[in-house]
Amino acid sequence: MQLKFYPYDLKFDEVFAVSANARTGTEIIYIELYSDGQVGYGEASFPPYMKEKRTDNLDFLAGLNLESFNSIDAFVEIQNYINAFPNYLPAKAALDMALLDLKGKTSNQNVRSFFANEPLKSIPTSFTIGIGEDAFLIRQLKKAEAFPIIKIKLNGDINYVKHAITLIKSTTQKPLGVDFNQGIANSKVALELLDWLHGQGVQYAEQPLPETLIADFAWLKENSPLPIFGDESIQTIEDIESKHHLFDGVNIKLMKCGGLTNAFKMVDLARQHNLQLMLGCMAESVCAITAAANLASLFDKVDLDGHLMMTNDLFTGVTLENGHLLLGTAPGMGVEKK
Ligand code: MG
């Protein structure tokens, strides 16, 4: 089995701002895994949100030796070899994608059939609107027109929250969710904001507080009128074990947990703890978004829109129709390099 990988910089069509930062692109690693006469594709993304750095993950990939594995038949042994190394979760996510893509192509099956009895081909997704001025919000609302639900990035500034939500509600009747990306300072301010957002008909709030404020999250969950989803707080399966009691739901992302195989395990554990499930993404290209879409039928909410702002995507895969992602029928994960 031969592993190739290369760094790539994805560019956005507009500045994307959340509570902590604003940027115009994201660092990626693409991988290609060759075996059995096929190629499997994978992608690792490194937004500022991730503590892992691209250079470290490139070094990790350079140190792997997959040449001793002769076929994708050694799928489990290869996974065990990779997972024996600590950390490098984005690179592991990319490797997991490539292995599953190869396994699907060599067995003539869709990757989604590995995980679900009734996999979705048409997936309703939310559209995410970053933080910005009125003209930006209005442009983004135009782009969001076809989507069934809108997720709005907010910060802890009560004036911005009220202004942005009022503007958005004057333009659309769509269901709204909000994501603070840890932007509120404490639980008292958070409750004030969540009470107001509940009164506006907002459906859920994601990561209102910094992940370190464990006691504040416990208090907020008891008092909030809105369901609270953990994102930055819950990255891996171990985080579900230790923090499930702080949240009503969890946003599961391939880059945080190390791929589809781990995400599938997280779904099972999260259900045991009665957590609502959101399938999310980072700023990623069609490659990683299509990979995640193969798990969509297992989730209550799908937020796979990270690819929609890219201007230099190297892949084709899921297509977009009326606010829904459509998966093709080809064996494997469903992506091709342009
Ligand atoms: Mg989030």
Side-chain angles (χ1 to χ4, degrees), residues 49 151 153 179 181 206-207 231-232 251 253 303:
Y49 171 121
K151 185 200 267 194
K153 297 286 193 182
D179 186 359
N181 292 103
E206 198 173 312
Q207 196 72 37
D231 182 357
E232 287 86 342
N251 186 343
K253 300 180 178 177
D303 182 32

mmCIF file of all heavy atoms in Angstrom, residues 49 151 153 179 181 206-207 231-232 251 253 303, ligand 1:
data_model
loop_
_atom_site.group_PDB
_atom_site.id
_atom_site.type_symbol
_atom_site.label_atom_id
_atom_site.label_comp_id
_atom_site.label_asym_id
_atom_site.label_seq_id
_atom_site.Cartn_x
_atom_site.Cartn_y
_atom_site.Cartn_z
ATOM 1 N N TYR A 49 -9.393 26.701 15.160
ATOM 2 C CA TYR A 49 -10.162 25.937 16.158
ATOM 3 C C TYR A 49 -9.422 24.682 16.604
ATOM 4 O O TYR A 49 -9.497 24.275 17.764
ATOM 5 C CB TYR A 49 -11.461 25.588 15.437
ATOM 6 C CG TYR A 49 -12.418 24.629 16.075
ATOM 7 C CD1 TYR A 49 -13.726 25.064 16.353
ATOM 8 C CD2 TYR A 49 -12.088 23.322 16.347
ATOM 9 C CE1 TYR A 49 -14.631 24.199 16.897
ATOM 10 C CE2 TYR A 49 -12.997 22.457 16.897
ATOM 11 C CZ TYR A 49 -14.268 22.894 17.172
ATOM 12 O OH TYR A 49 -15.173 22.036 17.712
ATOM 13 N N LYS A 151 -27.759 28.455 10.417
ATOM 14 C CA LYS A 151 -26.972 28.570 11.657
ATOM 15 C C LYS A 151 -26.242 29.897 11.628
ATOM 16 O O LYS A 151 -25.553 30.208 10.655
ATOM 17 C CB LYS A 151 -25.971 27.412 11.757
ATOM 18 C CG LYS A 151 -25.206 27.419 13.079
ATOM 19 C CD LYS A 151 -23.926 26.618 13.014
ATOM 20 C CE LYS A 151 -24.111 25.192 13.463
ATOM 21 N NZ LYS A 151 -22.795 24.521 13.708
ATOM 22 N N LYS A 153 -23.530 32.468 13.364
ATOM 23 C CA LYS A 153 -22.409 32.642 14.284
ATOM 24 C C LYS A 153 -22.620 33.933 15.074
ATOM 25 O O LYS A 153 -22.920 34.987 14.471
ATOM 26 C CB LYS A 153 -21.088 32.728 13.514
ATOM 27 C CG LYS A 153 -20.737 31.467 12.737
ATOM 28 C CD LYS A 153 -20.284 30.352 13.654
ATOM 29 C CE LYS A 153 -19.648 29.229 12.865
ATOM 30 N NZ LYS A 153 -19.238 28.099 13.739
ATOM 31 N N ASP A 179 -24.503 29.704 17.060
ATOM 32 C CA ASP A 179 -23.234 29.128 17.520
ATOM 33 C C ASP A 179 -22.338 30.253 18.026
ATOM 34 O O ASP A 179 -21.954 31.137 17.270
ATOM 35 C CB ASP A 179 -22.553 28.387 16.365
ATOM 36 C CG ASP A 179 -21.304 27.655 16.806
ATOM 37 O OD1 ASP A 179 -20.943 27.733 17.996
ATOM 38 O OD2 ASP A 179 -20.681 26.991 15.949
ATOM 39 N N ASN A 181 -19.332 29.744 19.521
ATOM 40 C CA ASN A 181 -17.889 29.395 19.496
ATOM 41 C C ASN A 181 -17.161 29.866 20.764
ATOM 42 O O ASN A 181 -16.113 30.504 20.677
ATOM 43 C CB ASN A 181 -17.216 29.962 18.240
ATOM 44 C CG ASN A 181 -17.697 29.269 16.982
ATOM 45 O OD1 ASN A 181 -18.515 29.810 16.237
ATOM 46 N ND2 ASN A 181 -17.227 28.064 16.733
ATOM 47 N N GLU A 206 -25.185 26.630 20.308
ATOM 48 C CA GLU A 206 -23.992 25.800 20.305
ATOM 49 C C GLU A 206 -22.862 26.517 21.049
ATOM 50 O O GLU A 206 -22.625 27.711 20.832
ATOM 51 C CB GLU A 206 -23.601 25.553 18.846
ATOM 52 C CG GLU A 206 -22.672 24.397 18.629
ATOM 53 C CD GLU A 206 -22.489 24.133 17.124
ATOM 54 O OE1 GLU A 206 -23.498 24.067 16.384
ATOM 55 O OE2 GLU A 206 -21.345 24.015 16.702
ATOM 56 N N GLN A 207 -22.204 25.778 21.906
ATOM 57 C CA GLN A 207 -20.979 26.191 22.619
ATOM 58 C C GLN A 207 -21.013 27.666 23.064
ATOM 59 O O GLN A 207 -20.153 28.458 22.649
ATOM 60 C CB GLN A 207 -19.755 25.944 21.735
ATOM 61 C CG GLN A 207 -18.441 25.961 22.516
ATOM 62 C CD GLN A 207 -18.229 24.754 23.411
ATOM 63 O OE1 GLN A 207 -18.594 23.642 23.071
ATOM 64 N NE2 GLN A 207 -17.630 24.952 24.571
ATOM 65 N N ASP A 231 -19.571 21.639 21.192
ATOM 66 C CA ASP A 231 -18.738 21.452 19.996
ATOM 67 C C ASP A 231 -17.264 21.454 20.423
ATOM 68 O O ASP A 231 -16.655 20.384 20.537
ATOM 69 C CB ASP A 231 -19.049 22.552 18.976
ATOM 70 C CG ASP A 231 -18.262 22.388 17.691
ATOM 71 O OD1 ASP A 231 -17.440 21.471 17.598
ATOM 72 O OD2 ASP A 231 -18.449 23.192 16.756
ATOM 73 N N GLU A 232 -16.720 22.632 20.731
ATOM 74 C CA GLU A 232 -15.329 22.685 21.198
ATOM 75 C C GLU A 232 -15.135 21.837 22.455
ATOM 76 O O GLU A 232 -14.051 21.277 22.674
ATOM 77 C CB GLU A 232 -14.917 24.140 21.477
ATOM 78 C CG GLU A 232 -14.697 24.987 20.223
ATOM 79 C CD GLU A 232 -15.981 25.634 19.690
ATOM 80 O OE1 GLU A 232 -17.097 25.190 20.061
ATOM 81 O OE2 GLU A 232 -15.872 26.590 18.890
ATOM 82 N N ASN A 251 -22.050 18.222 18.750
ATOM 83 C CA ASN A 251 -21.696 18.406 17.347
ATOM 84 C C ASN A 251 -20.465 17.542 17.053
ATOM 85 O O ASN A 251 -19.368 17.827 17.535
ATOM 86 C CB ASN A 251 -21.404 19.897 17.081
ATOM 87 C CG ASN A 251 -21.167 20.181 15.608
ATOM 88 O OD1 ASN A 251 -20.900 19.272 14.814
ATOM 89 N ND2 ASN A 251 -21.250 21.451 15.238
ATOM 90 N N LYS A 253 -17.629 16.012 14.611
ATOM 91 C CA LYS A 253 -16.915 16.374 13.378
ATOM 92 C C LYS A 253 -15.766 15.392 13.147
ATOM 93 O O LYS A 253 -15.051 15.043 14.089
ATOM 94 C CB LYS A 253 -16.333 17.793 13.500
ATOM 95 C CG LYS A 253 -17.384 18.870 13.734
ATOM 96 C CD LYS A 253 -16.741 20.241 13.846
ATOM 97 C CE LYS A 253 -17.823 21.316 14.037
ATOM 98 N NZ LYS A 253 -17.241 22.659 14.227
ATOM 99 N N ASP A 303 -24.987 19.728 9.495
ATOM 100 C CA ASP A 303 -24.435 21.049 9.190
ATOM 101 C C ASP A 303 -23.166 20.850 8.368
ATOM 102 O O ASP A 303 -22.055 20.984 8.863
ATOM 103 C CB ASP A 303 -24.153 21.792 10.508
ATOM 104 C CG ASP A 303 -23.622 23.198 10.270
ATOM 105 O OD1 ASP A 303 -24.019 23.817 9.261
ATOM 106 O OD2 ASP A 303 -22.811 23.675 11.083
HETATM 107 MG MG MG B 1 -19.588 25.053 16.370
#
